[in-house]
């Protein structure tokens, strides 16, 4: 805390300052107003009374108090944010009476001095100023930052207080022209270590001895600020511009506004990439514009974006946002610019030192990151070139000061430790493999890669965040709402692999595990991306606003769908075949929906399952009804059936369709097939694909009741000569055999079967056998396969001789398959 | 670390020495420092290597930013492996001279060929012009 003894020093300093006025005219305005002619404006007693903390300053001499109060009073309207003020050293020591009510009077003067210096000239002056200003005094009283012993912390705290935007009502009338135009000469002369002390500080130091380096650091902020020339003024902050150091600092910093401006600057920088606002009303005509386009890389805390605001390049120290960028405990991953600021701020860096640039160059950034990553401060700037031989560009590396000053960071994540991306859209099997791979690779990399990266000073120029961003974009492209549609083979591959693994697991563990239905990862929800331009109801015509997202339509054609009636009317006009194909296509799409139902059902969330189920039911109904006659519900339309089956695709369709139909309808379809077999056979002559139907047909036939089976056989036999035709066709023969074999199975397995109840079956079989025997062997086409129990069937109905004949003809035997 | 096996990503190639062949025929060697979603590449300490016959020359170029669409192929260079065993490195001037000579002879042969074809009434457009369209 500030000590009263320092008041003594004040007096002498005042004299000295006055003496210096003559020497340097320009820099003495501040001083003049403080101690000279300009200082007699206000009633110091009023001021004094207003300051609540003065109650404790009991022991002050009148004159000193006067002097101090003068100095306090000379800045009634100072509205500078505390830390922004440049400090007149004599003022600093005059602060104690106004400053810290809580300061304990018992400390030795040395401490006071030290603390005075440490606390920051700025802080003290700022406090003084703020207290002098009645408007702020109340506000400021509670929030005075305590000067901390460590210089870096003090500068940090100063910066912190920089952050808190303070609305300062009036502009300062603190005139101090000296500081902005301080020539380098007087500053750098005479002092051993620091090169940029302000003039006043110099004086102070001269008298008080060289302060330790660390303590000087706190002044650096002000030193830099003092050296600035006029810069852009933050509007609204200062009402009258004086050439005061404080003003210049305000100009330079625009401090209370800096944090939001900084961000808006970044926002502005990025928003420059947004297309310029449209002349026509953008709101109506197009969807909202993204402030930051999708392809924007991640933001870096760019200190030099603030530079655009400030014309002088070396204003890196007064970066308001810096303290924002890192929380108090040292975070794992600091942005390199932040690191630089940490590194540099405590250091003495002359504003006139040759500077590469205020912004941490990428190289520095990388180096700092490297030091962070490598976990040890790097001694020298000279990088060891990995692998040798690649030397061309090793341009002057920056001085290593940054490294030394880095406080030992916690070990940041080395680049090879993978970051967990969002893998929910991946197949769970895939995810498992991924983790396995990551683990194995992480081990490998740790051994070799880390070593190499520690030698390459330019590594990690691409931050982890940026890498993630690129990967994120790549992953985004892989997201899909319907994985079976978009990436069918990928899904199937992983499913197969899982099955294989399960099988192996089962074999190895010898346990027959119940195959738990694995829930396939839900996919990204389908988002409606279609943009619909705004339309006003009841208005004539459409909006004329067009934009890139809704370009103006040249022809505003509205499609009117034709109703079914019209379609029927046009049926005759259409080409018959096209119509057939069309029907087949429609049915196919229905069929595919039905087939995919199960897969989709598993994936949809609970709420939507009802709706899906409903839809599925409608689909199946539609499907089944499409084949039916218009009037008869239970009979398949022959015409339709033949029509559809006349096309290869139609046959395929029916084959795929049969398993999904309810049994009665399936039976009806089979009946229709049997009934129309000759026609179908004729149409199939070229394609010969009726065989596709065999596979779905057999379960249907096997599920038929005995009467239905009989009916089927009857249908098959149909009219005159039908059976002959049937026998000529491979499929027909196969179907016949299937029916017969089913009948035989029924008879042999189930003694109560009703097949024999009426004679129909027997008669039918008789006729079949008759036909079989009579038909010449050449015209009898071999079936796709011969059921084994035909022999036993025939043996029931025919005598031995005929049986043998049949056997030869049909090449069936007891052992035939 | 490639997070999506089955896809190609340049993330793992960062900070490694690469050789890239561009569409215009240039060969660049440098440390790949940064990429983006279009495979635009940032090369550091780039060297353009010109090959003529068995000789090659390196021209140091500094930092290159290559637009992704101009990359023909890109591959990592193993810094440990001994390189250029067959090839002989020469100075820049020499290689440029060699290159110039090579271009010259090529042009001459091309010219002769065109003349011969013209005499026979044929006109075949030059392949390198077609690249432009």
């Amino acid at each position: 805390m500030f000590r009263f003894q320092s008041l003594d020093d004040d007096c002498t300093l005042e004299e000295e300052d006055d003496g210096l006025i003559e020497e340097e005219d320009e820099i003495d305005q501040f001083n003049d107003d403080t101690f000279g002619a300009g200082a007699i404006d206000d009633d110091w007693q009023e001021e004094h009374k207003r300051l609540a903390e003065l109650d404790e300053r009991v022991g002050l001499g009148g004159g000193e108090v006067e002097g101090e109060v003068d100095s306090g009073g000379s800045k009634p309207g100072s509205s500078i944010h505390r830390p922004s003020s440049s400090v007149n050293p004599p003022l600093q020591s005059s602060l104690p009476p106004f400053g810290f009510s809580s300061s304990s009077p018992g400390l030795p003067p040395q401490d006071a001095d030290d603390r005075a210096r440490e606390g920051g000239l700025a802080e003290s002056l700022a406090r003084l100023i703020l207290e002098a200003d009645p408007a702020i005094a109340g506000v400021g009283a509670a929030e005075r930052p305590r000067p901390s012993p460590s210089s870096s912390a003090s500068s940090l705290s100063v910066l912190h207080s920089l952050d808190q935007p303070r609305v300062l009502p009036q502009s300062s009338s603190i005139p101090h022209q000296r500081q902005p135009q301080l020539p380098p000469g007087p500053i750098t002369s005479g002092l051993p270590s620091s090169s940029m002390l302000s003039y006043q500080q110099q004086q102070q130091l001269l008298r008080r001895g060289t302060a330790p380096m660390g303590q000087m650091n706190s002044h650096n902020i002000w030193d830099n600020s003092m050296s600035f020339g006029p810069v852009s003024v933050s509007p609204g902050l200062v009402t009258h511009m004086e050439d005061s150091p404080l003003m210049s600092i305000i100009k330079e910093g625009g401090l209370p506004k800096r944090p939001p401006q900084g961000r808006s600057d970044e926002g502005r920088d990025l928003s420059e990439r947004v297309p310029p606002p449209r002349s026509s009303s953008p709101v109506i005509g197009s969807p909202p514009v993204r402030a930051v386009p999708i392809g924007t890389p991640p933001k870096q805390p760019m200190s030099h974006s603030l530079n655009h605001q400030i014309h002088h390049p070396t204003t890196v120290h007064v970066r308001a946002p810096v303290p924002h960028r890192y929380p108090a405990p040292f975070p794992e991953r600091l942005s390199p610019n932040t690191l630089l600021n940490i590194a540099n701020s405590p250091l003495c860096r002359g504003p006139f030192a040759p500077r590469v640039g205020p912004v941490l160059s990428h190289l520095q950034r990388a180096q700092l990151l490297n030091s962070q990553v490598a976990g040890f401060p790097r001694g020298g700037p000279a990088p060891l070139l990995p692998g040798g031989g690649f030397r061309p560009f090793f341009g002057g590396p920056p001085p290593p000061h940054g490294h030394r000053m880095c406080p030992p960071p916690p070990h940041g994540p080395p680049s090879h430790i993978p970051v967990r991306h969002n893998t929910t859209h991946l197949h769970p099997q895939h995810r498992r493999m991924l983790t396995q791979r990551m683990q194995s690779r992480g081990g490998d990399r740790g051994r070799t890669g880390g070593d190499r990266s520690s030698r390459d000073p330019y590594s990690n120029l691409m931050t982890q965040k940026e890498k993630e961003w690129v990967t994120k974009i790549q992953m985004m492209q892989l997201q899909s709402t319907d994985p079976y549609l978009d990436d069918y083979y990928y899904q199937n591959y992983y499913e197969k692999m899982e099955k294989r693994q399960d099988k192996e697991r089962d074999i190895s563990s010898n346990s027959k595990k119940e195959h738990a239905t694995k829930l396939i990862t839900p996919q990204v929800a389908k988002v409606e991306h279609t943009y619909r331009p705004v339309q006003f109801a009841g208005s004539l015509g459409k909006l004329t606003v067009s934009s890139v997202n809704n370009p103006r339509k040249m022809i505003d054609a509205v499609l009117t769908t034709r109703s079914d009636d019209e379609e029927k009317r046009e049926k005759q006009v259409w080409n018959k075949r096209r119509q057939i194909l069309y029907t087949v296509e429609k049915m196919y799409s229905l069929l595919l929906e039905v087939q995919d139902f199960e897969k989709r059902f598993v994936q949809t969330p609970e709420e939507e399952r009802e709706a899906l189920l409903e839809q599925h039911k409608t689909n199946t109904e539609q499907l089944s009804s499409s084949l039916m006659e218009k009037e008869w519900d239970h009979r398949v339309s022959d015409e339709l059936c033949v029509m559809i089956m006349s096309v290869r695709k139609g046959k395929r369709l029916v084959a795929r369709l049969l398993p999904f139909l309810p049994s009665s309808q399936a039976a009806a379809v089979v009946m229709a097939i049997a009934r129309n077999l000759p026609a179908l056979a004729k149409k199939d002559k070229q394609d010969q694909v009726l065989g596709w139907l065999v596979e779905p047909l057999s379960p249907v036939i096997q599920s038929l009741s005995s009467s239905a089976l009989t009916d089927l056989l009857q249908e098959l036999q149909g009219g005159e000569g039908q059976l002959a035709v049937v026998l000529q066709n491979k499929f027909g023969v196969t179907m016949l055999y299937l029916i017969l074999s089913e009948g035989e199975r029924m008879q042999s397995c189930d003694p109560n079967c009703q097949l024999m109840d009426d004679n129909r079956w027997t008669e039918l079989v008789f006729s079949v056998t008759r036909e079989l025997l009579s038909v010449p062997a050449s015209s009898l086409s071999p079936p796709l396969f011969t059921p084994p129990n035909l022999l036993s069937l025939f043996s029931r109905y025919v005598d031995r001789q005929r049986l043998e004949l049949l056997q030869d003809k049909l090449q069936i035997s007891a052992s035939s398959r | 670390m490639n997070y999506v096996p089955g896809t190609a990503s340049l993330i793992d190639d960062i900070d490694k020495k690469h050789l890239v062949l561009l569409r215009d025929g240039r060969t660049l060697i440098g440390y790949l420092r940064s990429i983006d979603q279009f495979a635009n590449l940032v090369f550091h300490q780039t060297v353009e290597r010109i090959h003529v016959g068995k000789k090659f020359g390196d021209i140091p170029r500094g930092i290159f930013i290559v637009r992704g669409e101009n990359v023909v192929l890109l591959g990592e260079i193993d810094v440990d492996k001994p390189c250029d065993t067959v090839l002989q490195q020469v100075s820049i001037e020499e290689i440029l001279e060699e290159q110039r000579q090579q271009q010259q002879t090529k042009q001459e042969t091309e010219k002769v060929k065109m003349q011969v074809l013209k005499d026979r009434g044929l006109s075949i457009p030059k392949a390198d012009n077609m690249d432009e369209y």
Side-chain angles (χ1 to χ4, degrees):
Chain A
M1 292 295 141
F2 295 97
R3 293 283 55 88
F4 302 122
Q5 284 90 333
S6 55
L7 296 173
D8 295 326
D9 299 332
D10 274 339
C11 301
T12 39
L13 201 57
E14 280 173 56
E15 287 156 18
E16 289 229 11
D17 278 338
D18 288 342
L20 288 161
I21 287 172
E22 291 89 352
E23 290 174 27
E24 331 232 358
D25 305 319
E26 47 199 333
I27 56 176
D28 227 359
Q29 189 58 37
F30 186 67
N31 205 20
D32 192 40
D33 283 352
T34 308
F35 303 107
I40 340 171
D41 295 336
D42 293 346
D43 186 0
W44 64 270
Q45 274 173 330
E46 304 256 13
E47 283 296 331
H48 186 94
K49 281 191 189 124
R50 261 187 255 131
L51 301 170
E53 287 76 21
L54 290 178
D55 298 336
E56 299 184 18
R57 306 284 181 262
V58 200
L60 288 175
E64 290 165 350
V65 176
E66 198 170 80
E68 286 145 15
V69 171
D70 267 351
S71 62
S74 69
K75 298 185 274 250
S78 74
S79 50
I80 315 282
H81 191 262
R82 255 183 257 145
S84 65
S85 56
S86 70
V87 178
N88 194 354
L91 286 178
Q92 178 198 358
S93 48
S94 67
L95 280 176
F98 305 94
F100 311 86
S101 49
S102 56
S103 64
S104 51
L107 293 171
Q110 270 318 83
D111 270 328
D113 281 357
D114 291 349
R115 289 216 202 121
R117 262 173 254 126
E118 288 170 337
L121 286 167
E123 287 177 16
S124 36
L125 181 60
R127 254 173 257 120
L128 168 69
I129 292 162
L130 285 168
E131 280 144 19
D133 187 351
I136 309 176
V139 180
E143 291 177 282
R144 239 166 282 121
R146 301 258 167 266
S148 57
S150 82
S151 57
S152 55
S154 78
S155 52
L156 292 188
S157 63
V158 160
L159 294 174
H160 260 295
S161 52
L162 260 179
D163 260 350
Q164 299 149 20
R166 300 292 200 82
V167 178
L168 303 172
Q170 304 164 23
S171 65
S172 160
S173 58
I174 299 165
H176 195 151
Q177 268 168 338
R178 226 188 320 171
Q179 283 152 340
Q181 291 112 12
L182 261 177
I187 287 183
T188 53
S189 67
L191 278 183
S193 49
S194 73
S195 56
M196 23 167 232
L197 292 178
S198 71
Y199 187 85
Q200 302 89 330
Q201 289 169 347
Q202 250 188 344
Q203 295 303 311
Q204 192 177 15
L205 283 171
L206 277 170
R207 298 185 324 96
R208 294 185 194 182
T210 312
M213 170 92 149
Q215 291 165 347
M216 279 294 102
N217 292 340
S218 57
H219 305 315
N220 295 349
I221 299 162
W222 317 120
D223 303 332
N224 278 342
S225 59
M226 285 169 216
S227 61
F228 293 137
V231 288
S232 68
V233 175
S234 58
L237 180 61
V238 283
T239 52
H240 50 274
M241 300 290 106
E242 308 291 326
D243 283 329
S244 65
L246 289 165
M247 292 320 302
S248 66
I249 290 159
I250 296 168
K251 283 184 211 168
E252 172 278 303
L255 289 161
K257 274 211 157 195
R258 177 90 55 87
Q261 254 175 359
R263 266 174 242 124
S264 69
D265 253 346
E266 291 177 51
R268 221 187 299 143
D269 279 349
L270 293 167
S271 65
E272 276 163 15
R273 301 169 62 153
V274 170
R278 292 174 204 81
S279 53
S280 56
S281 158
V283 175
I284 295 177
S286 59
V289 169
R290 281 178 71 96
V292 173
I294 294 175
T296 317
K299 278 197 263 189
Q300 295 294 341
M302 297 293 275
S303 57
H304 73 63
S305 68
L306 300 172
N307 266 343
H308 300 323
Q309 196 186 0
I310 288 112
H311 301 313
H312 191 99
T314 61
T315 58
V316 79
H317 294 314
V318 213
R319 283 298 149 259
V322 167
H324 267 317
R325 299 292 181 214
Y326 55 88
F330 212 86
E332 271 196 349
R333 265 181 49 213
L334 286 187
S335 83
N337 285 335
T338 319
L339 275 174
L340 168 68
N341 289 320
I342 299 166
N344 281 335
S345 55
L347 281 176
C348 237
R349 216 168 51 141
F352 311 101
R355 269 280 57 107
V356 187
V359 178
L360 178 58
S361 73
H362 260 61
L363 179 55
Q364 292 168 311
R365 180 156 78 106
Q367 287 179 322
L368 286 167
L369 252 183
N370 276 346
S371 61
Q372 195 187 24
V373 167
F376 58 91
R378 296 165 43 119
L384 303 167
L385 294 172
F390 205 76
R391 261 163 222 282
F393 283 97
F394 220 85
H401 59 267
H403 304 301
R404 260 181 248 118
M405 288 312 291
C406 263
H411 183 58
S415 52
H416 61 265
I417 287 184
V419 178
R420 261 262 160 213
H421 287 326
N422 184 22
T423 49
T424 51
H425 67 278
L426 294 179
H427 199 276
Q429 180 64 23
H430 191 175
R431 223 187 297 159
R432 259 174 268 141
M433 281 172 52
L434 207 52
T435 44
Q436 284 167 12
R437 260 186 241 183
M438 287 203 297
Q439 283 156 14
S440 61
R441 271 199 216 165
D444 290 339
R445 262 229 209 130
R447 273 175 261 124
T448 54
D451 184 42
R452 199 166 293 164
S453 65
S454 69
R455 284 189 274 132
D456 182 6
Y458 293 92
S459 62
N460 297 320
L461 282 172
M462 195 174 182
T463 61
Q464 192 60 33
K465 203 171 161 196
E466 285 164 351
K467 287 183 192 169
E468 284 170 36
W469 168 74
V470 172
T471 314
K472 185 177 66 142
I473 289 181
Q474 291 178 331
M475 302 266 265
M476 248 176 18
Q477 294 165 351
L478 295 177
Q479 283 174 357
S480 95
T481 51
D482 187 0
Y484 279 97
L485 193 68
D486 294 334
D487 220 347
Y488 176 75
Y489 295 101
Y490 168 86
Q491 298 287 333
N492 270 38
Y493 173 71
Y494 277 100
E495 269 173 29
K496 275 191 205 160
M497 196 158 21
E498 260 185 32
K499 278 187 203 153
R500 210 185 318 140
Q501 285 191 349
D502 287 342
K503 225 184 284 178
E504 282 169 22
R505 207 187 335 126
D506 283 347
I507 290 169
S508 62
S509 67
N510 237 356
S511 65
K512 283 291 171 190
K513 288 192 200 133
E514 218 13 81
H515 247 298
T517 42
K518 288 204 173 84
L519 184 68
I520 299 183
T521 344
Q523 303 304 319
V524 175
K526 224 180 263 194
V527 180
E528 268 298 313
H529 282 301
T530 55
Y531 166 72
R532 283 190 193 82
V534 171
Q535 290 172 341
F536 295 110
S539 66
L540 284 173
K542 306 215 165 152
L543 277 177
T544 51
V545 171
S546 71
S547 71
V548 67
N549 292 306
N550 62 326
R552 205 193 306 269
K553 280 191 194 170
M554 291 301 289
I555 298 171
D556 199 0
V558 178
L559 277 175
T560 51
T561 53
R562 283 174 290 140
S563 64
D564 276 338
D565 297 324
E566 290 174 18
E567 273 188 45
K568 259 188 257 168
R569 260 181 264 132
E570 289 174 34
K571 221 191 249 187
Q572 287 89 24
V573 183
W574 282 11
N575 190 354
K576 195 93 175 160
R577 191 176 173 83
R578 260 203 289 156
Q579 189 214 334
I580 293 170
L581 288 171
Y582 181 73
T583 320
V584 169
E585 283 304 323
K586 270 207 297 188
M587 285 183 65
Y588 239 110
S589 46
L590 276 173
L591 174 65
L592 287 172
E593 295 250 317
V594 170
Q595 279 191 321
D596 285 338
F597 163 73
E598 196 183 312
K599 281 189 188 149
R600 274 200 289 147
F601 190 75
V602 178
Q603 289 173 30
T604 53
E606 283 298 322
E607 315 83 56
E608 292 168 32
R609 282 189 181 180
E610 281 295 317
L612 199 62
L613 209 54
E614 284 300 315
Q615 203 188 9
H616 177 64
K617 279 199 201 125
T618 352
N619 281 344
T620 32
E621 276 166 33
Q622 262 185 313
L623 210 48
S624 42
S625 61
S626 58
L627 273 175
M628 298 306 166
E629 292 254 26
K630 299 292 180 284
E631 296 82 36
W632 282 349
D633 268 335
H634 303 291
R635 196 181 147 92
V636 171
S637 155
D638 282 346
E639 193 188 323
L640 267 174
C641 187
V642 175
M643 209 169 63
I644 288 170
M645 301 262 277
S646 57
V647 195
R648 201 176 340 140
K649 195 162 184 182
K651 283 175 253 202
R652 190 55 129 173
L653 168 71
V654 173
R656 279 176 85 165
L657 180 58
L658 271 175
F660 289 96
L661 288 175
S663 55
S664 58
Q665 280 170 349
V669 171
V670 176
M671 296 278 195
I673 293 173
R675 210 169 27 238
N676 300 300
L677 202 55
L680 294 177
K682 198 170 84 172
K683 301 238 163 127
D684 193 43
K685 223 181 271 186
Q686 208 175 26
D687 294 325
Q688 295 294 324
V689 289
L690 273 175
W692 288 343
L693 287 166
V694 172
E695 202 187 303
L697 222 53
S698 21
V700 178
I701 290 177
Q702 278 158 12
S703 63
L704 285 177
S705 66
S706 54
S707 56
L709 197 64
T710 322
D711 289 334
L712 188 58
L713 192 52
Q714 192 161 23
E715 297 272 14
L716 198 60
Q717 292 196 320
E720 277 296 319
Q722 179 162 334
L723 197 56
V725 180
V726 167
L727 289 175
Q728 280 178 352
N729 181 270
K730 194 180 233 180
F731 170 70
V733 174
T734 319
M735 194 166 170
L736 178 66
Y737 284 3
L738 280 172
I739 297 170
L740 291 174
S741 128
E742 176 61 21
E744 173 58 24
R745 194 190 63 79
M746 260 195 231
Q747 271 191 299
S748 50
C749 302
D750 183 11
N752 301 338
C753 105
Q754 297 146 340
L755 208 56
M756 307 306 283
D757 279 358
D758 58 3
N759 270 339
R760 276 201 308 153
W761 175 257
T762 330
E763 279 177 23
L764 287 167
V765 178
F766 274 143
S767 63
V768 165
T769 47
R770 245 177 291 136
E771 192 65 35
L772 278 170
L773 288 166
S774 58
V775 147
S778 54
S779 66
L780 187 66
S781 76
L784 284 161
F785 70 94
T786 313
N789 50 3
L790 279 182
L791 193 62
S792 49
L793 173 82
F794 286 130
S795 61
R796 276 185 221 262
Y797 297 101
V798 295
D799 53 18
R800 193 160 191 84
Q801 189 189 13
R802 288 219 177 103
L803 189 60
E804 281 173 21
L805 277 170
L806 268 174
Q807 241 182 313
D808 291 333
K809 208 169 206 183
L810 305 177
Q811 284 143 25
I812 49 175
S813 61
S815 56
S816 71
R817 170 65 191 92
Chain B
M1 168 45 55
N2 191 359
Y3 291 93
V4 201
T7 64
S9 173
L10 289 171
I11 297 277
D12 301 331
D13 287 355
I14 292 230
D15 293 334
K16 295 186 183 146
K17 193 165 170 187
H18 280 72
L19 182 145
V20 63
L21 177 66
L22 303 181
R23 265 168 55 179
D24 62 358
R26 275 189 280 187
T27 309
L28 301 178
I29 297 174
Y31 287 93
L32 181 64
R33 291 300 177 196
S34 184
I35 58 160
D36 72 349
Q37 68 265 37
F38 308 112
N40 295 333
L41 314 166
V42 174
F43 278 99
H44 178 229
Q45 293 174 351
T46 321
V47 149
E48 181 182 338
R49 187 163 284 187
I50 302 177
H51 287 269
V52 177
K54 283 238 157 48
K55 303 188 190 155
F56 75 92
D58 284 349
I59 305 176
R61 293 289 191 190
I63 299 178
F64 249 82
I65 296 180
V66 180
R67 190 178 164 95
E69 63 171 345
N70 293 308
V71 171
V72 171
L73 45 86
L74 167 74
E76 190 185 335
I77 292 181
D78 191 346
V79 289
D80 300 324
K81 243 184 179 175
C83 61
D84 316 332
T85 43
V86 185
L87 305 170
Q88 170 207 7
Q89 179 158 20
V90 296
S91 70
I92 297 176
E93 296 83 17
E94 200 180 324
I95 198 69
L96 285 173
E97 177 62 29
E98 293 267 344
Q99 194 184 39
R100 195 186 59 78
Q101 280 176 359
Q102 189 190 46
Q103 297 285 17
Q104 204 168 17
T105 46
K106 207 192 218 176
Q107 266 183 349
E108 279 164 15
T109 53
E110 191 64 32
K111 213 159 99 173
V112 167
K113 200 162 87 172
M114 289 298 285
Q115 186 61 41
V116 167
L117 285 171
K118 207 163 90 168
D119 291 342
R120 282 159 177 71
L122 293 169
S123 139
I124 298 172
K126 282 194 273 192
D128 42 300
N129 280 349
M130 292 199 293
D131 196 43
E132 240 68 270
Y133 299 114

